[in-house]
Amino acid sequence: MIEPMTIDHFDDVMALWEKSENIGLSSADERKKIEAYLARNPAMSFVAKENGVIVGAALCGHDGRRGYIHHLAVAASHRKKGMGRELAARCIESLRSAGIEKCHLFVFQRNKDGKAFWEKIGWTSRDDIQVVSKDL
Ligand SMILES: CC(C)(COP(=O)(O)OP(=O)(O)OC[C@H]1O[C@@H](n2cnc3c(N)ncnc32)[C@H](O)[C@@H]1OP(=O)(O)O)[C@@H](O)C(=O)NCCC(=O)NCCS
């Protein structure tokens, strides 16, 4: 069952992310920051539950122009059953409803499985762009 993520899910979602390879966690993922993100992007991030236990999660939001999905993860025990695809679809649906026409996401270069997943579900990896960042 997929439902919108709320801040009450935070501890379980964080436990899932911490167990998931290639999810890059930082100070931006502290409880207060995630609470603010969910408030700024209501009903766009989702959790997947089985028997009441969180086994998948994805953060999603937009800046008014483009959408972004972060930290999509499915518990190792529940992979290859369509849960990742469904979480991504729910995120995309919420962005479309908000009038957003394109979504981007970040995948570590080393994350071959992650790239294969996104390409399998219809996303395009780009080699014409490099991420450029600055600590503020
Ligand atoms: C990537 C991840 C979210 C995929 O979740 P999942 O629930 O197993 O994915 P799905 O079952 O919905 O798979 C959708 C499609 O992608 C394919 N796929 C999934 N993982 C794959 C992999 N490692 N290699 C190749 N294809 C893969 C599936 O076979 C399926 O294709 P099909 O419909 O033709 O059978 C999960 O492996 C994960 O949590 N990985 C660790 C965290 C991570 O890397 N997240 C991405 C961050 S950008």
Side-chain angles (χ1 to χ4, degrees):
M1 192 183 82
I2 295 200
E3 62 183 58
M5 189 189 297
T6 72
I7 196 59
D8 293 338
H9 296 129
F10 180 82
D11 290 341
D12 292 337
V13 168
M14 183 52 72
L16 170 70
W17 285 339
E18 284 173 343
K19 272 187 257 163
S20 302
E21 68 277 22
N22 290 311
I23 297 296
L25 296 171
S26 72
S27 57
D29 300 301
E30 287 165 10
R31 177 183 285 270
K32 283 254 172 275
K33 298 285 171 62
I34 296 293
E35 189 168 17
Y37 186 86
L38 295 176
R40 191 188 145 112
N41 299 282
M44 293 194 149
S45 300
F46 294 92
V47 293
K49 287 185 179 174
E50 195 171 274
N51 302 322
V53 176
I54 289 180
V55 292
L59 277 183
C60 174
H62 67 86
D63 56 17
R65 185 173 168 278
R66 295 302 193 205
Y68 297 89
I69 295 177
H70 307 278
H71 300 351
L72 191 153
V74 172
S77 51
H78 288 72
R79 289 180 189 169
K80 302 273 177 83
K81 293 177 179 174
M83 209 169 261
R85 182 195 289 272
E86 207 180 327
L87 279 165
R90 292 291 294 269
C91 291
I92 289 169
E93 199 180 291
S94 74
L95 291 170
R96 272 208 196 101
S97 303
I100 299 296
E101 294 175 344
K102 193 168 196 172
C103 184
H104 301 298
L105 54 84
F106 304 99
V107 185
F108 285 120
Q109 286 292 357
R110 61 171 188 259
N111 187 1
K112 305 279 181 258
D113 284 348
K115 276 193 220 175
F117 161 75
W118 289 112
E119 285 169 8
K120 196 74 195 274
I121 67 166
W123 291 59
T124 306
S125 289
R126 296 175 63 163
D127 55 14
D128 59 333
I129 286 180
Q130 179 158 351
V131 177
V132 179
S133 308
K134 182 174 172 62
D135 282 330
L136 308 184

